[in-house]
Amino acid sequence: MNGAYLELIRIRFLMMLAYRVNYYSGIIIYAINIGAYYFLWQAIYGDKTVLAGFTVAQMTTYVAVSWMARAFYYNNLDSEIANEIRDGSVAIQFIRPYNYLIVKLMQGLGEGLFRLLLFMVPGMLVVSLLFPVRLPTDPTVWLMYAVMLIFSFLINTQINMLTGLLAFFVENNSGMIRMKRVMVDLFSGVVVPMSFLPGWLETVMKWLPFQAITYLPSSVFTGRTEGVEAFKVLGLQFIWFVLLLLPIEWVWRTARHRLFVQGG
């Protein structure tokens, strides 16, 4: 059965290859987004060298790595799950000899690996040539960030799964999905680093999982979080990963007892 799950990764990866031209154009779009934020932050900094604990160089690198990391962890599993619930095809998954949620996780991982190899890595190279991005020279930082990036994918995927599964309880959760995507981009730190938020809001965000998706890993990558603090950040990601398993399992078990099919 483990081999079957791994095969799902390969299948989704190959499926994504059919749309690789879209992702090549996506590199250009992301580079434009990063460029827009780069010049915006240059204007915000003005003559200042440090704002909210970020130097100009750190902010440039933070913006670049945050957007490129998003290319890896982003997926549409929330919409996929919600659509399968609405059209009733999810009912078939209950009688098949595999775990539906693990299947979705493996499919998302296949997509993520495709984005990593054909979007994130070449995109980061392009952006590094266009803007003054300072990449870490310490191999330990790269290794730490690689592990944290995996947790970023897992946590974001868990939030997507939870949002998609709520379609069991509402007739249409498309608005909820759109709201979730805005919240993830805003509160994870892709748009604005958490340290720039008002004090009360930053405190609230520390009790939510969004920071573990982008802000914390990018802080390690840019050198703002080092040594023991970096391992604490990794531990916090692991804690959120474990905690998010609980509501997903509860929603999934509850849904099995009240499944209804919308639209026939």
Side-chain angles (χ1 to χ4, degrees):
M1 183 59 68
N2 291 336
Y5 287 135
L6 294 177
E7 182 66 12
L8 291 170
I9 299 176
R10 188 183 72 87
I11 293 173
R12 180 58 69 97
F13 187 97
L14 294 176
M15 287 177 60
M16 300 302 296
L17 280 175
Y19 305 98
R20 56 186 178 274
V21 174
N22 292 339
Y23 287 93
Y24 294 151
S25 62
I27 293 174
I28 299 175
I29 295 172
Y30 266 56
I32 292 173
N33 283 337
I34 292 170
Y37 276 98
Y38 168 73
F39 291 113
L40 174 63
W41 284 110
Q42 287 289 315
I44 292 173
Y45 271 80
D47 296 330
K48 298 181 178 67
T49 57
V50 179
L51 282 178
F54 280 88
T55 65
V56 177
Q58 285 177 332
M59 179 56 71
T60 302
T61 305
Y62 178 92
V63 169
V65 74
S66 295
W67 276 96
M68 285 305 164
R70 183 183 184 275
F72 168 66
Y73 66 67
Y74 178 86
N75 57 61
N76 291 307
L77 290 182
D78 44 8
S79 295
E80 288 185 23
I81 293 172
N83 289 335
E84 290 176 2
I85 293 172
R86 282 195 293 268
D87 65 23
S89 59
V90 70
I92 303 174
Q93 311 298 333
F94 287 111
I95 60 176
R96 289 182 173 172
Y98 54 64
N99 186 300
Y100 174 72
L101 296 182
I102 295 181
V103 167
K104 287 302 174 185
L105 175 63
M106 293 299 103
Q107 291 175 342
L109 183 56
E111 181 177 343
L113 290 175
F114 174 87
R115 289 170 171 269
L116 174 68
L117 297 176
L118 297 180
F119 193 146
M120 181 180 175
V121 172
M124 197 65 189
L125 292 174
V126 170
V127 169
S128 297
L129 294 174
L130 296 176
F131 306 104
V133 175
R134 293 186 180 179
L135 301 178
T137 56
D138 186 354
T140 304
V141 175
W142 283 98
L143 179 60
M144 177 72 73
Y145 182 72
V147 176
M148 297 184 73
L149 193 59
I150 293 172
F151 276 107
S152 295
F153 164 80
L154 292 173
I155 293 170
N156 182 68
T157 298
Q158 286 175 308
I159 294 174
N160 282 353
M161 284 183 174
L162 188 58
T163 306
L165 288 173
L166 291 178
F168 276 116
F169 306 95
V170 296
E171 291 189 1
N172 191 330
N173 68 336
S174 58
M176 189 183 302
I177 290 174
R178 287 194 293 270
M179 181 182 69
K180 183 272 306 175
R181 291 178 181 175
V182 172
M183 290 179 63
V184 169
D185 282 347
L186 180 59
F187 295 138
S188 69
V190 172
V191 178
V192 180
M194 273 184 51
S195 55
F196 282 83
L197 298 177
W200 65 270
L201 184 55
E202 183 181 359
T203 300
V204 171
M205 288 301 102
K206 288 180 179 179
W207 291 94
L208 297 176
F210 303 114
Q211 61 169 337
I213 299 174
T214 301
Y215 177 73
L216 296 180
S218 295
S219 294
V220 172
F221 188 86
T222 56
R224 295 186 70 247
T225 304
E226 301 176 294
V228 176
E229 291 301 316
F231 283 98
K232 289 182 179 179
V233 167
L234 179 59
L236 185 59
Q237 280 189 306
F238 177 76
I239 290 173
W240 275 117
F241 167 70
V242 174
L243 289 177
L244 285 171
L245 292 174
L246 302 179
I248 291 174
E249 181 64 19
W250 180 81
V251 171
W252 180 243
R253 286 181 177 274
T254 303
R256 292 173 69 92
H257 297 289
R258 55 161 296 167
L259 174 64
F260 66 93
V261 179
Q262 302 178 35

